Amino acid sequence: MGIIEYREWRPRELHLAVLICLILLVQSAQAVSFSPVVSPLIREAERLSASGQYRQAKAKLKDALKVERGKEQRMDIRIRQCNLYLDAGKVERGRELLRKMLNKVSDPAIFIALSRALMYYHPIQRDEARRLLDVVIRRDPQNWNALVELGYCEFYDGKIQEAAANFQKAIAVENEAVQAFMGLADCHFASKEFQAAIIVLEKAFAFAPKDARLPHRIGDCYLASALEKRMTKAITWYDKALKLNASPKYMASLMMVFFARLTAGDGKPIYEKIKEINPHSTYVNWADGVFLELKGQIGQALKHYEEAVRKDPQNWLAHF
């Protein structure tokens, strides 16, 4: 489906895209505080992973594990190591390692991490993920992380009202649970209630002003309405996200605005920046495809889109 058709199809396709792109595995199951020595290693591992340098990221996490002594922190690092395999496309290996962890320690954080691995990476196994989450919630009905993931299980099954109820339960337990607010906003988004989604996200941004996901998602809401004045607001929010996190994913979203306006040339500097950060990024393939499509070279464009999806099945821009 081509970018030229944007104004007619984007809101409907974005609904489907949300079902594909909600990747939470960069984060561990719960917020964990690391020591001043370990924190830089974790941040560097996250940066390397985001740029596709998984082997180097693995080395940083290994260094962190050598230094860290806290039980909860060490478990978080091990989960992150498993997640690297998932992000690198070695899904079965990542799941296998998480299952081994779970066999040794029956901890809610591992249950939730494995449920995410089953929900957000192909082949999708939501039924098993739901069973894992049910175990956690039966043991602790106040586990808001599990409630959020269960909400996404329902969301993926198209049960928007049930999903929203779980996100609201999570917020009732933890009123600053950013992911629960994002989930609730996604429910509004899927129903094309973009203004309601923006209100929820802005509320979360008020108490989490350094979380780049929030302004990025607000930008998506403005862009999804496909109105020119709202595209300008989308640019403003994408810029805020990029100031917090210069992620190729966020840069690609900003490029999408220019492509939507059919002013692809304005996106060239952003494209070059993405290539500078990671020349092998899935978003480079996506952008190459769009440039070719705008030139009428549909066959060549499709090859680039297919390569982008091969590298990252959650690249919702390429799925278009």
Side-chain angles (χ1 to χ4, degrees), residues 26 42-58 60 84 87-88 245-251 273-285 311-312:
V26 173
I42 298 296
R43 287 196 298 270
E44 180 63 7
E46 290 175 345
R47 186 192 68 80
L48 290 166
S49 176
S51 62
Q53 301 178 64
Y54 302 114
R55 184 170 297 179
Q56 295 90 327
K58 184 179 178 182
K60 291 296 179 183
L84 281 178
D87 292 334
N245 182 358
S247 161
K249 176 181 177 180
Y250 298 164
M251 292 180 185
K273 185 63 178 177
I274 296 175
K275 287 185 70 175
E276 179 184 329
I277 294 173
N278 181 7
H280 305 295
S281 170
T282 176
Y283 296 105
V284 171
N285 294 104
K311 288 181 178 179
D312 180 5

Side-chain angles (χ1 to χ4, degrees), residues 26-282:
V26 173
Q27 307 155 351
S28 55
Q30 301 191 33
V32 174
S33 297
F34 294 99
S35 69
V37 176
V38 176
S39 290
L41 294 171
I42 298 296
R43 287 196 298 270
E44 180 63 7
E46 290 175 345
R47 186 192 68 80
L48 290 166
S49 176
S51 62
Q53 301 178 64
Y54 302 114
R55 184 170 297 179
Q56 295 90 327
K58 184 179 178 182
K60 291 296 179 183
L61 291 177
K62 188 176 181 180
D63 290 342
L65 205 54
K66 290 177 182 177
V67 179
E68 184 57 66
R69 291 293 175 263
K71 181 180 178 181
E72 186 179 10
Q73 286 78 6
R74 287 179 64 83
M75 182 181 296
D76 182 279
I77 294 170
R78 291 190 184 280
I79 289 173
R80 289 171 184 268
Q81 288 177 322
C82 297
N83 291 343
L84 281 178
Y85 283 99
L86 299 168
D87 292 334
K90 300 177 180 179
V91 177
E92 292 306 323
R93 178 58 175 162
R95 290 174 176 174
E96 177 189 359
L97 291 172
L98 285 167
R99 287 192 175 100
K100 285 182 178 180
M101 286 183 66
L102 194 56
N103 287 335
K104 291 180 180 179
V105 184
S106 183
D107 188 280
I110 307 173
F111 275 93
I112 293 171
L114 180 54
S115 75
R116 288 172 169 171
L118 293 164
M119 284 170 58
Y120 304 124
Y121 287 88
H122 292 282
I124 304 297
Q125 298 176 31
R126 275 200 298 278
D127 288 342
E128 184 180 351
R130 185 179 281 104
R131 286 194 293 271
L132 293 168
L133 295 168
D134 285 342
V135 171
V136 177
I137 294 170
R138 279 200 305 271
R139 292 179 181 177
D140 179 11
Q142 301 297 300
N143 190 311
W144 64 265
N145 285 285
L147 288 168
V148 167
E149 299 308 328
L150 185 59
Y152 277 119
C153 263
E154 304 291 5
F155 184 84
Y156 284 162
D157 285 338
K159 300 175 182 177
I160 304 303
Q161 290 184 345
E162 291 88 340
N166 278 299
F167 295 133
Q168 288 166 340
K169 286 179 184 178
I171 293 169
V173 175
E174 173 52 69
N175 62 7
E176 291 191 358
V178 172
Q179 193 57 53
F181 278 87
M182 291 182 70
L184 185 57
D186 285 335
C187 290
H188 288 299
F189 191 104
S191 303
K192 300 182 183 179
E193 298 167 351
F194 301 122
Q195 193 57 46
I198 289 169
I199 290 171
V200 172
L201 293 166
E202 286 182 335
K203 184 175 181 179
F205 194 51
F207 62 74
K210 293 184 179 180
D211 193 322
R213 296 173 301 168
L214 295 167
H216 177 256
R217 195 65 62 84
I218 292 172
D220 286 344
C221 291
Y222 280 116
L223 185 56
S225 64
L227 299 174
E228 182 63 27
K229 64 179 181 180
R230 290 203 152 204
M231 286 190 190
T232 301
K233 288 187 176 181
I235 292 173
T236 299
W237 283 100
Y238 286 148
D239 280 340
K240 287 182 181 181
L242 285 167
K243 287 176 182 177
L244 293 168
N245 182 358
S247 161
K249 176 181 177 180
Y250 298 164
M251 292 180 185
S253 294
L254 185 55
M255 287 183 68
M256 186 68 174
V257 180
F258 299 121
F259 291 151
R261 288 172 160 175
L262 302 183
T263 56
D266 294 338
K268 273 286 188 181
I270 308 172
Y271 169 76
E272 295 299 333
K273 185 63 178 177
I274 296 175
K275 287 185 70 175
E276 179 184 329
I277 294 173
N278 181 7
H280 305 295
S281 170
T282 176

